[in-house]
Amino acid sequence: MTQTMAVAKALNESLRKALENDPKVLIMGEDVGKLGGVFRITDGLYKDFGEGRVIDTPLAESGIVGTAIGLALRGYRPVVEIQFDGFVFPAYDQIVTQLAKMHARALGKIKLPVVIRIPYGGGIGAVEHHSESPEALFAHVPGLKVVSPSNSSDAYWMLQQAIECDDPVIFFEPKRRYWDKGEVDVAALPGDLHRAVVAQQGTDVTLAAYGPMVKVCLEAAAAAANEGRSLEVVDLRSLSPIDFDTIEASVRRTGRLVVVHEAPVFYGAGAEIAARITERCFYHLEAPVLRVGGFHAPYPPARLEEEYLPGLDRVLDAVDRALAF
Amino acid sequence: MTQTMAVAKALNESLRKALENDPKVLIMGEDVGKLGGVFRITDGLYKDFGEGRVIDTPLAESGIVGTAIGLALRGYRPVVEIQFDGFVFPAYDQIVTQLAKMHARALGKIKLPVVIRIPYGGGIGAVEHHSESPEALFAHVPGLKVVSPSNSSDAYWMLQQAIECDDPVIFFEPKRRYWDKGEVDVAALPGDLHRAVVAQQGTDVTLAAYGPMVKVCLEAAAAAANEGRSLEVVDLRSLSPIDFDTIEASVRRTGRLVVVHEAPVFYGAGAEIAARITERCFYHLEAPVLRVGGFHAPYPPARLEEEYLPGLDRVLDAVDRALAF
Amino acid sequence: MSVKSTAAGGSPAKSRGRTTTRGTAAKRRAGEPGLVQLLTPEGERVEHPDYAIDLTPEELRGLYRDMVLTRRFDAEAITLQRQGELGLWASLLGQEAAQIGSGRATRPDDYVFPTYREHGVAWTRDVDPLNLLGMFRGVNHGGWDPNENNFQLYTIVIGSQTLHATGYAMGVAKDGADAAVIAYFGDGASSQGDVAEAFTFAAVYNAPVVFFCQNNQWAISEPTEKQSRVPIYQRAAGYGFPGVRVDGNDVLAVLAVTRAALEHARSGQGPMLVEAFTYRMGAHTTTDDPTRYRSDEEREEWASKDPIARLRTYLEREGLADEAFYAEIDTESDALAKRVREGVRNMPNPGTMAIFENVYADGSALVDEERAQFAEYLSSFETGDVETAGTGH
Amino acid sequence: MSVKSTAAGGSPAKSRGRTTTRGTAAKRRAGEPGLVQLLTPEGERVEHPDYAIDLTPEELRGLYRDMVLTRRFDAEAITLQRQGELGLWASLLGQEAAQIGSGRATRPDDYVFPTYREHGVAWTRDVDPLNLLGMFRGVNHGGWDPNENNFQLYTIVIGSQTLHATGYAMGVAKDGADAAVIAYFGDGASSQGDVAEAFTFAAVYNAPVVFFCQNNQWAISEPTEKQSRVPIYQRAAGYGFPGVRVDGNDVLAVLAVTRAALEHARSGQGPMLVEAFTYRMGAHTTTDDPTRYRSDEEREEWASKDPIARLRTYLEREGLADEAFYAEIDTESDALAKRVREGVRNMPNPGTMAIFENVYADGSALVDEERAQFAEYLSSFETGDVETAGTGH
Ligand SMILES: Cc1ncc(C[n+]2csc(CCOP(=O)(O)OP(=O)(O)O)c2C)c(N)n1
Ligand SMILES: Cc1ncc(C[n+]2csc(CCOP(=O)(O)OP(=O)(O)O)c2C)c(N)n1
Ligand SMILES: [Mg+2]
Ligand SMILES: [Mg+2]
């Protein structure tokens, strides 16, 4: 049952399957209907499932999430698309004060199975607000689950699992990987949505990354291998909760950890991982956990993004520093 | 020139002085006028400066911050009050996508001297949304500065400095300390707004805290002293940027660090401090940086907040664990 | 004899009112264009061309009983707050007609999205009053099952529930259900972007939702002029659906108008906005001090429009209830107050570990880890250094 | 002149049904009430009872020139995008009259808050067209000084600039300045809560701001029916200020209406909403494919209402310009295109370290630290292991 497909196509097939499997699943967002979304993730779904299931909404993100909450209260399972990372903030209040908290407010008596899909990250040469990585701003919020696939198979399966989950899930899609192809076994039973996986085994240094940066880390591992260095790459997949056990197990083997993400380092996911892994592996770490990521500056204009985004060299530089410690 | 006043009064005097010193300073917010704010921080200012300077706004936080941006573009220096921590989120989009970025968008040609005052934290027995500590959600955002005073003197001076600053400053006020009295020298030249200070010297373990938790840490230090343990307390004062130099210097002396805040530990300020200090002090740390803070759960109902909030015992427990490592 | 609004024409209407006070009623309504009224402040029954109502004496007595019991419950809650049993209370004093009238207009299958002040509406939905007190006592954030009485949890973040209501109504329409949704909000809330977005979504999807604005003249210390320079009900037209202003202290008019609005929604005609013109007689909440921002005269003027007194005058004038009825309500009130008082006093505190409950429906390894660590921490006090325990964790 | 608003309250009976099927654009727009027009699509001059205009031939030619040059600039930008010189372009094709007419209505002291598509308005404010291209080329996020021409930076987050405009206008009023502010936004943007809040603030503070909505019928792939079921200009009445719909392809009408609206604001009468009914002739941006969601007929129908052709017909019919005039504009257009082309091609990339510039006005130790670390990292390539450099940092 293995098929080769791009990440975008895997997401599209995943949504299609969800719509087929459960009549309560709805797709909502700006331009998700006839247009199929600006990235075509919902391509063909409006045609096949109709405007009752695939809903073009007014241009109002708070309204989209707020009405999705209402639909969830009525028994639906809305899958919301936010057009770009930088446009989720008008919905932030509904997400943080309502979506995340309502289950607890009701002492568990109601459920909020809402998925919010957000294409995120840079590398596509876009204008302001179209290249950001705001995942930490959601992971810090109790009541939300935050995940990000890095490849087609995870795109396909993790989105299914997010939709099946009875909790709100913020689903970050690595937009510059939309066109990367990979194998998807549409019959394989998926693992836990929040489990990290070792994407590449190695012995000298562990690289932990998620979403778009996993590929960079795998490339870094390949480049390092040429220099005789063995890097282990952990694909975190989930940012809330984080599978610290898998990272810890890896770090206990390698003794060194570099966390890589596009989001600004300051108060980013790398900080949480560094803090917790240092606590768990204090006597196993040969060097402090190092972080490679975005700077404390607005995402730069497109002509600077190659310099801004963490790439092979910055990852390997951190590896060097970790090894030299 | 030293006077004894409560934190709330110090803030009130500070605003009064700012209104007197600079005709461009404006106060805006819900109920800040005739009522003087729900915490009376703006008490008397409407009467003395008029509705042209102290502005009761419609009940719309995005509108408050968005129009404050416009007023700043016109040359004013708005000081905005958000009524409670949990109500800042409708304004989050304006803060993150506009206020934080506009200076960079203009390549520095315009300035955004807007202060957003937010009473934050728990401990006052309030209902939902009135006890939260969302500071990490602002500190992660480049373009914003984030500070929090812990006592009357800092309340007085840091607010002045925030208003004089040409950048947007998110000013977190420790609401449960509003009624705590302290000395204010209204003639003393203030230090750097973003400098941390050693609030209590010690040798065995460093406690780093800010806002409402500084007092708890000072009490913990006093309690520990009775047991013959010498704790150093660093009052961070600024959360973006963070004065890592001061923390580092302390940790080089003590070899141990415990970071304390009310906000959830997961992705909180403690993570950033742990990561960076571990990197800076890898060979000086006798134990991993430990964190004491909120849980990954919505702020609980009032009857549970005493258990929820980090107190003396939880701080001392972490100190014990740091020393036992 | 016919008593008509001078502001509106229409067909002659039947009236149970009397001619003697006609001038007063007409004058009042002339001052407030478009204010729907069926019972004047003087307790006089008047007709409105668009909104008729015909209630049995029993129904009328029922509305009176609802209002009196709601007010008594509210008063008891204020007392309990003063006694330290509640941390806070948001009183509905003065808004009984707006809430009972609109709540009684709903059908069991309809769904209600309240703010934090709809104690009267909750009453009409058979929500146990004790449920409402949990969050004000600080033992939970609400905690009842909204689906039990189709009454959503209280929502504190101003305006946000109007979007939930709209989404819910979109679902009702999808299901083809014969039901409507009603979203409560305040005059202050009308300024929130969420409310405007709710109007937009409701109009675009023709959702069966009634937006019910209790304009109680104040948003804490801010008068309605700080939110709008025209009557709030007029906002609806700009979004393409009808708006109407009703005398919010007239339980009959509120009932009639809300019934019509819900029927409008249920019958596929889409949303409607009802502005109930009323007054918050008390403080915003028990922590508020209204003397700082409003005058005694204003309060007194509104006191003369009291919703309960008004209906009682009418009942008495028309001889629709006897002394036994009023006596029975007094007894009922006392019983209710007692039940509430005892219920609150016996309301258990949640256990410490409740902090970690219901964060997620499907669980989270992170919560599990923190729960386990905290449990271990707590148990350390039981075994060892108990001397520091109890001084706050 | 008088400024009228269209307010309607109403009862359920007056509710408006919702069209479930979309007819052609013509059918939908036929007989739109209240559309202000001074020049018909056929280039005929007509009068309007509320809006008069009397322009000299030179002024008329000036408007024509503005529109032609703006269109030429726009076309050149599209070409530059195709050639890879720009990363993206948002074309204003078809909206020239709405932008030139409204822009030319502003005075130097007025202040403009644009979206990302107001290239024509920028032209009327003497903003160097090259300034507009920086963000689309990806060398900056705007970067010009808004105070140089009282033309704020392009704003991408839909609707947010309407609040900045309102705040700015509040400041203008505070200063007692003889100026007004104009905020541009789209039909899609009308759904954003921020726009509603801007209406509320502007009304409550009586701020001198004109909300100028270019209803170009589409928000990317979504027709206006997905934003509102009534004409957008009607929204103003519900907030207590006048709204008017103008033929957005009629530069004379747009000029007249916007002038009146700005004067309304300047003279202390508060905000006003202008809805310019126009059409986005091209794609949403160069990455968009409008064939996926709209018909050729619709586009063709709007092509027949072209704002430039319309004015040219009028100029020709009235003999207000000679061949030399048109020839001169052609020359000017070519020169403009050449200047833009060369300017873009020579636009320098920012240096790497620009990443760290202008994050703060007063500096930040954090930025300093990261800048220093990155500089050190970069310099390591110069001194040592250069072989890995250049494969992306
Ligand atoms: C988003 C938000 N901002 C501020 C508050 C604080 N607050 C609570 S009630 C209130 C006034 C509400 O006024 P209104 O909508 O008229 O309702 P009323 O209290 O009069 O019933 C305010 C400002 C809040 N709860 N939510
Ligand atoms: C808050 C926000 N959400 C989504 C977007 C993505 N987006 C860019 S333009 C656009 C459509 C805007 O339509 P309209 O307001 O009619 O303006 P037009 O593009 O037609 O000029 C959308 C959805 C955005 N820029 N900002
Ligand atoms: Mg009110
Ligand atoms: Mg448009």
Side-chain angles (χ1 to χ4, degrees):
Chain A
M1 294 294 279
T2 296
Q3 300 169 22
T4 305
M5 52 179 113
V7 168
K9 181 67 180 164
L11 294 167
N12 177 268
E13 289 291 334
S14 189
L15 289 173
R16 176 176 291 278
K17 197 171 156 199
L19 286 165
E20 277 166 2
N21 288 351
D22 185 347
K24 292 297 186 185
V25 170
L26 303 174
I27 313 272
M28 300 171 66
E30 295 158 10
D31 306 295
V32 298
K34 253 193 184 170
L35 183 64
V38 294
F39 287 109
R40 309 289 185 265
I41 305 300
T42 56
D43 194 25
L45 303 178
Y46 175 86
K47 191 171 141 281
D48 294 343
F49 296 91
E51 66 173 357
R53 306 283 307 278
V54 183
I55 305 168
D56 271 332
T57 63
L59 209 174
E61 285 78 7
S62 190
I64 296 170
V65 173
T67 55
I69 290 171
L71 281 157
L73 294 174
R74 179 75 193 175
Y76 287 89
R77 303 184 86 85
V79 183
V80 158
E81 174 173 307
I82 297 292
Q83 203 159 72
F84 281 91
D85 32 69
F87 306 138
V88 69
F89 301 113
Y92 197 68
D93 175 58
Q94 283 288 345
I95 295 172
V96 169
T97 72
Q98 304 303 316
L99 186 59
K101 292 191 169 70
M102 219 179 257
H103 177 71
R105 193 177 296 152
L107 291 177
K109 294 182 187 89
I110 50 177
K111 290 173 180 174
L112 278 301
V114 176
V115 175
I116 300 182
R117 296 179 36 242
I118 309 179
Y120 82 120
I124 64 159
V127 295
E128 203 186 351
H129 311 291
H130 291 70
S131 308
E132 296 169 11
S133 298
E135 59 274 15
L137 304 174
F138 297 88
H140 186 49
V141 179
L144 302 178
K145 290 175 172 172
V146 183
V147 301
S148 180
S150 71
N151 58 52
S152 298
S153 176
D154 278 355
Y156 183 84
W157 282 115
M158 288 171 69
L159 185 51
Q160 299 281 323
Q161 292 174 300
I163 295 169
E164 277 160 24
C165 177
D166 278 336
D167 292 306
V169 179
I170 316 295
F171 193 89
F172 281 102
E173 301 175 358
K175 70 168 88 83
R176 65 166 148 147
R177 305 294 176 221
Y178 272 154
W179 305 279
D180 286 7
K181 293 205 164 145
E183 302 289 293
V184 179
D185 183 347
V186 296
L189 264 186
D192 184 333
L193 176 59
H194 300 290
R195 191 175 39 93
V197 298
V198 175
Q200 162 84 50
Q201 292 197 328
T203 53
D204 298 341
V205 177
T206 301
L207 300 178
Y210 53 90
M213 279 296 141
V214 172
K215 188 177 177 189
V216 171
C217 288
L218 289 171
E219 288 167 358
N226 291 336
E227 295 172 15
R229 277 178 186 163
S230 169
L231 308 187
E232 178 145 312
V233 179
V234 174
D235 182 349
L236 295 172
R237 299 171 77 254
S238 176
L239 298 169
S240 177
I242 293 174
D243 176 4
F244 291 111
D245 291 345
T246 298
I247 313 173
E248 177 182 351
S250 174
V251 172
R252 281 180 183 252
R253 285 193 297 274
T254 62
R256 289 175 172 88
L257 174 62
V258 174
V259 189
V260 185
H261 51 61
E262 289 188 20
V265 163
F266 195 58
Y267 286 77
E272 181 57 41
I273 293 166
R276 199 141 328 203
I277 292 301
T278 305
E279 200 177 330
R280 289 197 183 196
C281 307
F282 192 62
Y283 292 117
H284 294 85
L285 280 170
E286 310 281 344
V289 178
L290 298 181
R291 295 175 289 164
V292 177
F295 302 110
H296 191 70
Y299 194 91
R303 300 253 168 172
L304 283 175
E305 70 179 347
E306 214 173 302
E307 277 96 334
Y308 174 89
L309 285 171
L312 210 59
D313 288 340
R314 277 178 64 201
V315 173
L316 291 175
D317 171 70
V319 167
D320 287 349
R321 284 187 287 125
L323 284 165
F325 228 90
Chain B
M1 295 293 279
T2 295
Q3 300 169 22
T4 305
M5 51 179 114
V7 168
K9 181 68 179 163
L11 294 166
N12 178 266
E13 289 291 334
S14 189
L15 289 173
R16 176 176 291 278
K17 195 170 158 199
L19 286 165
E20 277 166 2
N21 288 351
D22 185 347
K24 292 297 186 186
V25 170
L26 304 174
I27 312 274
M28 300 170 66
E30 296 158 9
D31 306 296
V32 297
K34 254 192 184 170
L35 183 64
V38 292
F39 287 109
R40 308 290 184 265
I41 305 299
T42 58
D43 194 27
L45 303 178
Y46 174 88
K47 190 171 142 282
D48 294 343
F49 296 91
E51 65 174 357
R53 305 283 307 280
V54 183
I55 305 168
D56 270 331
T57 62
L59 209 174
E61 285 79 7
S62 189
I64 296 170
V65 173
T67 55
I69 290 171
L71 282 157
L73 293 174
R74 179 75 193 178
Y76 287 89
R77 303 183 87 84
V79 183
V80 159
E81 174 173 306
I82 297 291
Q83 204 159 74
F84 281 92
D85 33 68
F87 306 138
V88 68
F89 301 112
Y92 197 68
D93 176 58
Q94 283 287 346
I95 295 172
V96 169
T97 72
Q98 304 303 315
L99 186 61
K101 292 189 170 72
M102 217 179 258
H103 178 71
R105 193 177 295 153
L107 291 175
K109 294 180 187 93
I110 49 177
K111 291 172 181 172
L112 279 299
V114 176
V115 175
I116 300 181
R117 295 179 37 243
I118 308 178
Y120 81 121
I124 63 158
V127 294
E128 203 187 351
H129 311 291
H130 291 69
S131 307
E132 297 170 10
S133 299
E135 59 273 15
L137 303 174
F138 297 88
H140 185 51
V141 179
L144 302 177
K145 290 175 171 172
V146 182
V147 301
S148 180
S150 71
N151 56 53
S152 297
S153 176
D154 278 355
Y156 182 84
W157 282 114
M158 287 171 69
L159 185 52
Q160 299 280 322
Q161 293 174 300
I163 295 169
E164 277 160 22
C165 177
D166 278 336
D167 293 305
V169 179
I170 316 295
F171 193 89
F172 281 101
E173 301 174 358
K175 69 168 87 83
R176 65 166 147 147
R177 304 293 176 222
Y178 273 154
W179 305 279
D180 286 7
K181 294 206 164 144
E183 300 291 292
V184 179
D185 183 348
V186 298
L189 265 186
D192 184 333
L193 176 60
H194 300 289
R195 192 176 39 93
V197 298
V198 175
Q200 162 83 50
Q201 292 196 330
T203 53
D204 298 340
V205 176
T206 301
L207 300 178
Y210 53 90
M213 279 296 140
V214 172
K215 188 177 177 191
V216 171
C217 288
L218 289 171
E219 287 168 359
N226 290 337
E227 297 173 13
R229 276 176 189 167
S230 168
L231 307 187
E232 177 144 314
V233 178
V234 174
D235 182 349
L236 295 171
R237 299 170 79 253
S238 175
L239 298 170
S240 176
I242 294 174
D243 176 4
F244 291 110
D245 291 346
T246 298
I247 312 172
E248 178 182 349
S250 173
V251 171
R252 281 180 183 251
R253 286 192 297 273
T254 62
R256 291 177 171 86
L257 175 61
V258 174
V259 190
V260 186
H261 51 60
E262 289 189 21
V265 163
F266 195 57
Y267 286 77
E272 181 58 40
I273 293 166
R276 198 136 338 197
I277 291 301
T278 305
E279 200 178 330
R280 289 196 184 197
C281 306
F282 192 64
Y283 291 117
H284 294 85
L285 280 170
E286 311 281 343
V289 178
L290 297 182
R291 297 176 287 165
V292 177
F295 301 110
H296 191 69
Y299 193 91
R303 300 254 168 170
L304 283 176
E305 71 179 348
E306 214 174 302
E307 276 96 335
Y308 174 89
L309 286 171
L312 211 60
D313 288 338
R314 276 178 65 201
V315 172
L316 292 176
D317 172 70
V319 166
D320 287 348
R321 283 186 287 125
L323 284 165
F325 228 90
Chain C
M1 221 153 287
S2 153
V3 176
K4 279 200 298 177
S5 159
T6 56
S11 53
K14 282 175 257 164
S15 172
R16 297 167 198 159
R18 298 177 182 184
T19 49
T20 49
T21 48
R22 171 187 172 156
T24 317
K27 213 165 69 197
R28 271 176 197 283
R29 267 171 296 122
E32 300 280 1
L35 185 76
V36 177
Q37 199 176 68
L38 298 178
L39 195 62
T40 70
E42 293 73 28
E44 177 196 344
R45 188 73 172 75
V46 292
E47 296 299 327
H48 189 279
D50 295 329
Y51 299 95
I53 199 157
D54 196 9
L55 299 178
T56 65
E58 195 183 338
E59 285 171 322
L60 288 165
R61 285 193 301 270
L63 293 172
Y64 179 81
R65 174 179 171 273
D66 287 341
M67 292 198 289
V68 171
L69 288 177
T70 296
R71 182 171 289 186
R72 178 58 176 267
F73 164 67
D74 189 74
E76 189 59 34
I78 294 173
T79 304
L80 286 164
Q81 196 279 336
R82 295 226 177 92
Q83 295 170 348
E85 296 291 343
L86 299 179
L88 185 80
W89 183 246
S91 165
L92 67 12
L93 189 70
Q95 302 178 217
E96 293 86 355
Q99 297 197 9
I100 297 300
S102 59
R104 283 291 171 215
T106 63
R107 292 194 201 153
D109 276 356
D110 294 341
Y111 213 104
V112 176
F113 287 78
T115 73
Y116 41 81
R117 206 187 287 283
E118 270 68 73
H119 322 312
V121 185
W123 172 263
T124 68
R125 302 294 305 178
D126 291 330
V127 174
D128 185 338
L130 283 170
N131 273 340
L132 307 178
L133 297 169
M135 78 173 236
F136 291 103
R137 183 169 170 87
V139 300
N140 58 42
H141 294 313
W144 65 83
D145 182 351
N147 293 325
E148 214 162 275
N149 304 84
N150 283 11
F151 186 82
Q152 168 65 345
L153 298 159
Y154 276 178
T155 299
I156 293 176
V157 177
I158 299 291
S160 59
Q161 74 284 356
T162 58
L163 280 169
H164 312 154
T166 301
Y168 194 95
M170 288 163 62
V172 166
K174 264 184 206 314
D175 297 343
D178 182 28
V181 176
I182 183 164
Y184 287 84
F185 65 108
D187 46 298
S190 71
S191 294
Q192 285 286 359
D194 271 9
V195 174
E197 295 189 9
F199 286 4
T200 289
F201 276 68
V204 164
Y205 299 114
N206 205 43
V209 56
V210 172
F211 297 106
F212 193 93
C213 179
Q214 282 173 85
N215 179 355
N216 62 6
Q217 313 304 323
W218 293 93
I220 308 186
S221 74
E222 299 191 5
T224 312
E225 297 80 62
K226 283 275 174 262
Q227 317 294 341
S228 183
R229 62 188 205 187
V230 288
I232 290 168
Y233 78 93
Q234 293 181 7
R235 197 158 293 174
Y239 290 84
F241 56 91
V244 60
R245 179 182 272 189
V246 61
D247 182 338
N249 286 13
D250 170 354
V251 70
L252 302 187
V254 174
L255 178 60
V257 166
T258 313
R259 262 191 193 162
L262 287 165
E263 193 45 41
H264 174 86
R266 259 188 236 107
S267 62
Q269 294 178 79
M272 190 162 160
L273 170 62
V274 177
E275 178 190 1
F277 206 70
T278 180
Y279 193 71
R280 192 195 80 208
M281 291 296 292
H284 169 71
T285 64
T286 43
T287 61
D288 181 38
D289 173 10
T291 64
R292 290 179 73 104
Y293 53 80
R294 68 183 192 187
S295 66
D296 282 350
E297 299 90 73
E298 182 184 293
R299 199 187 174 285
E300 277 156 28
E301 201 192 303
W302 277 94
S304 71
K305 304 183 197 169
D306 187 275
I308 296 182
R310 180 185 307 207
L311 184 57
R312 175 142 185 173
T313 308
Y314 177 65
L315 292 177
E316 289 179 354
R317 178 181 295 151
E318 302 289 325
L320 296 170
D322 54 15
E323 276 312 307
F325 169 73
Y326 299 115
E328 191 187 310
I329 291 189
D330 279 349
T331 314
E332 265 195 287
S333 291
D334 290 343
L336 173 66
K338 182 157 179 272
R339 189 169 94 76
V340 165
R341 202 158 49 237
E342 287 173 2
V344 165
R345 295 210 171 118
N346 295 323
M347 207 177 265
N349 280 350
T352 302
M353 300 315 278
I355 290 170
F356 303 96
E357 298 309 313
N358 303 309
V359 184
Y360 296 98
D362 285 355
S364 157
L366 175 60
V367 175
D368 292 344
E369 186 184 337
E370 291 191 349
R371 184 199 288 109
Q373 282 169 354
F374 196 54
E376 199 190 310
Y377 161 76
L378 290 178
S379 71
S380 73
F381 292 104
E382 286 152 25
T383 56
D385 45 26
V386 270
E387 74 277 6
T388 54
T391 57
H393 293 286
Chain D
M1 60 115 251
S2 79
V3 175
K4 284 206 212 123
S5 75
T6 312
S11 60
K14 287 181 187 159
S15 90
R16 180 183 178 282
R18 176 167 163 263
T19 44
T20 45
T21 51
R22 294 191 63 234
T24 65
K27 212 160 71 195
R28 278 186 288 129
R29 311 305 174 209
E32 289 290 358
L35 185 75
V36 178
Q37 199 176 67
L38 297 177
L39 198 61
T40 70
E42 294 73 31
E44 262 167 64
R45 190 72 173 74
V46 291
E47 296 300 328
H48 188 279
D50 296 327
Y51 298 96
I53 198 157
D54 194 10
L55 298 178
T56 65
E58 196 183 334
E59 287 171 321
L60 287 165
R61 286 193 300 271
L63 293 173
Y64 180 80
R65 174 178 171 273
D66 286 341
M67 291 199 287
V68 171
L69 289 178
T70 296
R71 181 171 289 187
R72 178 57 175 266
F73 165 67
D74 189 75
E76 190 59 33
I78 294 174
T79 304
L80 286 164
Q81 195 279 334
R82 294 224 176 91
Q83 294 169 349
E85 296 290 344
L86 299 179
L88 184 81
W89 184 246
S91 166
L92 67 12
L93 189 69
Q95 300 177 219
E96 294 85 356
Q99 297 198 8
I100 297 300
S102 59
R104 283 291 171 215
T106 64
R107 292 192 201 155
D109 276 357
D110 294 341
Y111 214 104
V112 176
F113 286 78
T115 72
Y116 42 81
R117 206 189 285 285
E118 271 67 74
H119 322 313
V121 184
W123 173 264
T124 67
R125 301 295 305 180
D126 292 330
V127 175
D128 186 338
L130 283 170
N131 274 340
L132 307 178
L133 297 169
M135 78 172 236
F136 290 103
R137 184 169 170 86
V139 302
N140 58 42
H141 295 311
W144 66 83
D145 182 351
N147 293 325
E148 213 161 275
N149 304 84
N150 283 11
F151 186 83
Q152 167 66 345
L153 298 159
Y154 276 179
T155 299
I156 293 176
V157 178
I158 299 292
S160 58
Q161 73 285 354
T162 58
L163 279 169
H164 312 154
T166 301
Y168 195 94
M170 287 162 64
V172 167
K174 266 184 205 310
D175 297 343
D178 181 28
V181 176
I182 184 165
Y184 288 84
F185 65 108
D187 45 299
S190 70
S191 295
Q192 285 284 359
D194 271 9
V195 174
E197 295 189 9
F199 288 4
T200 289
F201 276 68
V204 165
Y205 299 114
N206 204 42
V209 55
V210 172
F211 296 107
F212 193 92
C213 178
Q214 285 172 84
N215 177 355
N216 63 8
Q217 313 305 321
W218 293 93
I220 309 187
S221 74
E222 298 191 5
T224 312
E225 289 77 16
K226 282 274 174 266
Q227 318 294 340
S228 183
R229 63 188 205 185
V230 287
I232 290 169
Y233 77 93
Q234 292 182 6
R235 197 158 294 173
Y239 290 84
F241 55 92
V244 59
R245 177 181 273 189
V246 61
D247 182 339
N249 286 12
D250 170 353
V251 71
L252 301 187
V254 174
L255 179 59
V257 166
T258 314
R259 262 191 194 160
L262 286 165
E263 194 45 41
H264 175 87
R266 259 187 235 106
S267 63
Q269 296 177 78
M272 190 164 159
L273 169 62
V274 177
E275 178 190 2
F277 205 71
T278 181
Y279 193 72
R280 193 194 79 208
M281 291 295 293
H284 169 70
T285 66
T286 44
T287 61
D288 180 39
D289 174 10
T291 65
R292 289 179 74 104
Y293 53 81
R294 67 184 191 186
S295 67
D296 282 350
E297 300 89 73
E298 181 183 294
R299 198 185 176 286
E300 276 156 29
E301 203 191 296
W302 276 93
S304 72
K305 303 183 196 167
D306 187 275
I308 297 183
R310 181 186 304 208
L311 184 56
R312 176 142 184 173
T313 309
Y314 177 65
L315 291 178
E316 287 179 354
R317 177 181 298 150
E318 303 287 323
L320 296 171
D322 55 16
E323 277 312 309
F325 168 72
Y326 297 115
E328 193 188 309
I329 291 189
D330 279 350
T331 314
E332 263 195 288
S333 290
D334 290 344
L336 173 65
K338 183 157 177 275
R339 189 169 95 74
V340 165
R341 201 157 50 234
E342 288 173 2
V344 166
R345 293 206 171 120
N346 294 323
M347 207 176 266
N349 280 349
T352 302
M353 299 315 278
I355 290 170
F356 303 96
E357 299 307 314
N358 302 310
V359 183
Y360 295 97
D362 285 356
S364 158
L366 175 60
V367 175
D368 292 345
E369 185 185 338
E370 291 192 348
R371 185 198 287 108
Q373 281 169 353
F374 196 54
E376 198 190 311
Y377 162 76
L378 289 178
S379 71
S380 73
F381 292 105
E382 286 152 25
T383 55
D385 44 25
V386 269
E387 74 277 7
T388 55
T391 56
H393 293 287

